[in-house]
Amino acid sequence: DLLERKMRVRDFKKTIDIAFGLKENTIKRKKTKTKKYLLCELRLNYKNPKNISKSEISEKFQHSREILFDIDINFHEKYILIFKKNIVAQAKNNIARVFMGNTSKFEILSPQNLWSNYFE
């Protein structure tokens, strides 16, 4: 939102909550020499992951990429959705249902898994 205000965008659209810059060779699962940004949507207040909207999630990530694209950065290939640890399994199932099984671009994690997968 702050970036949109600085760019003087008149039509504010929803964006993801946070983007992390990953240094070279810090992505645990794949070694990379390219710096990438990891786009994350925090859903920590969700008590029921069935309230997830396909259009809202898709639009948030798409609009965030459009804004950040102007800065000429590379993006991590996955979109990260963060839920409380006790509802991660439910969230995975619901994302799979909402996106009709096409979940290859999403990674659903708890805050602890985010830390261990990308920052430890």
Side-chain angles (χ1 to χ4, degrees):
D1 296 337
L2 180 61
L3 184 57
E4 282 184 305
R5 281 193 282 281
K6 284 184 178 183
M7 295 172 63
R8 298 184 182 178
V9 174
R10 291 184 184 187
D11 182 23
F12 289 108
K13 296 178 183 173
K14 291 183 179 184
T15 56
I16 53 113
D17 293 314
I18 193 160
F20 296 102
L22 299 174
K23 289 183 181 179
E24 296 177 27
N25 296 323
T26 59
I27 301 172
K28 262 187 159 182
R29 294 189 180 145
K30 289 184 180 177
K31 294 294 181 186
T32 180
K33 297 204 184 246
T34 306
K35 295 177 186 176
K36 294 185 177 186
Y37 278 80
L38 186 66
L39 302 179
C40 297
E41 175 68 12
L42 304 175
R43 296 294 172 133
L44 298 173
N45 290 330
Y46 268 53
K47 293 180 179 155
N48 183 356
K50 290 182 180 177
N51 296 333
I52 295 169
S53 160
K54 179 180 180 178
S55 60
E56 180 186 7
I57 294 292
S58 298
E59 288 170 10
K60 280 186 168 197
F61 282 107
Q62 183 59 38
H63 185 61
S64 298
R65 284 181 69 105
E66 289 167 1
I67 291 171
L68 294 171
F69 183 76
D70 290 338
I71 303 172
D72 192 30
I73 60 174
N74 293 313
F75 296 100
H76 187 269
E77 56 275 359
K78 296 275 187 175
Y79 296 140
I80 310 298
L81 295 165
I82 308 297
F83 289 88
K84 287 182 185 175
K85 189 176 183 178
N86 63 328
I87 64 168
V88 166
Q90 292 173 353
K92 286 180 181 180
N93 289 335
N94 198 57
I95 291 291
R97 183 185 58 77
V98 168
F99 285 88
M100 296 189 281
N102 186 14
T103 60
S104 60
K105 64 183 172 186
F106 294 104
E107 190 168 1
I108 293 93
L109 302 170
S110 68
Q112 297 87 350
N113 293 131
L114 174 70
W115 179 260
S116 64
N117 288 359
Y118 294 99
F119 300 102
E120 209 169 53

